[in-house]
Amino acid sequence: MYYEASDFVETADNETLALIARTRELTREYYFSDYRDTEKRTAILQELLGSIGENVAIDTPFHCDHGNNIFLGNDVIIGMNCTFVDNAAIRIGNKVMIASNVQFYTSSHPVLPQERLIPDWKEQQTPFFRTYARPIEVKDNAWIGGGAILLPGVTIGENSVIGAGSVVNRSIPANCVAAGNPCRVIRYFDPNEKRQ
């Protein structure tokens, strides 16, 4: 795989570590908040996330690294125990359903050890490995089935459905059902077709 220099991200500098620590505090506060106290829970999410639309429900536990790289549209449901590794932007459109245990991984590491490992990492005071990050986007009206995993750089097209347990390693077009490991289109549909 080819990487641009801009794909690599800093994961252990003081600013990033402080952001992650604050994110952990906010997700812990959200977890222990009263489920019925929607005003407080919404306020926590507004502080945690990059942006949040109206009528958004995020069940707990909810896990993320930065929080400020997550952008949610209107009418979004995120099930329990979802993980958003948001070293790059995660953009969720409107009327999106995300089932429980879904994982969004914007970051990964090069496969080749000579690209992944940093020989003089101690002198540079960095981690011993390189991390790259690419954004993930889920377009309007999509539905991500339980336990699905979305990998760096993928886009889920408008209206599309991702089957439970799928591993999405490439973008999925609009108006289709896709499933499997690796995730592949099973069938297309007409979103305007009237059901009998």
Side-chain angles (χ1 to χ4, degrees):
M1 175 178 256
Y2 180 73
Y3 309 97
E4 299 282 344
S6 60
D7 289 335
F8 289 96
V9 295
E10 180 61 61
T11 59
D13 64 309
N14 290 336
E15 183 179 338
T16 302
L17 293 176
L19 176 60
I20 291 170
R22 180 63 180 141
T23 300
R24 297 292 185 269
E25 290 172 6
L26 288 169
T27 54
R28 186 181 318 108
E29 184 180 351
Y30 186 71
Y31 179 79
F32 286 109
S33 65
D34 184 337
Y35 190 78
R36 295 160 295 196
D37 190 348
T38 55
E39 187 175 318
K40 178 178 182 180
R41 287 168 68 85
T42 299
I44 295 168
L45 291 176
Q46 287 172 336
E47 185 176 349
L48 174 67
L49 304 176
S51 68
I52 181 172
E54 296 179 3
N55 192 35
V56 172
I58 301 177
D59 210 338
T60 53
F62 172 71
H63 312 281
C64 62
D65 269 344
H66 298 243
N68 64 355
N69 286 329
I70 301 170
F71 305 91
L72 305 179
N74 299 318
D75 307 314
V76 173
I77 294 177
I78 299 174
M80 66 182 80
N81 204 38
C82 287
T83 300
F84 286 54
V85 179
D86 59 320
N87 292 100
I90 298 174
R91 297 187 183 280
I92 309 295
N94 301 313
K95 295 185 172 70
V96 171
M97 298 187 305
I98 299 171
S100 298
N101 298 303
V102 172
Q103 301 164 64
F104 289 78
Y105 294 118
T106 64
S107 59
S108 189
H109 314 283
V111 171
L112 297 176
Q114 62 268 33
E115 293 178 348
R116 181 175 64 251
L117 303 175
I118 301 172
D120 54 350
W121 64 278
K122 285 186 181 178
E123 291 79 26
Q124 295 181 33
Q125 296 182 337
T126 63
F128 66 89
F129 54 87
R130 289 184 180 88
T131 300
Y132 70 85
R134 293 187 176 139
I136 294 174
E137 184 169 9
V138 178
K139 303 278 192 173
D140 293 351
N141 310 321
W143 171 21
I144 313 298
I149 299 172
L150 283 67
L151 297 179
V154 302
T155 296
I156 307 302
E158 189 175 6
N159 305 316
S160 287
V161 176
I162 304 300
S166 297
V167 177
V168 185
N169 64 353
R170 61 178 56 95
S171 291
I172 300 298
N175 306 317
C176 73
V177 176
N181 181 5
C183 189
R184 294 190 170 123
V185 174
I186 295 172
R187 68 180 177 93
Y188 288 91
F189 56 81
D190 179 354
N192 299 313
E193 180 182 347
K194 298 283 190 233
R195 297 288 293 189
Q196 298 299 322

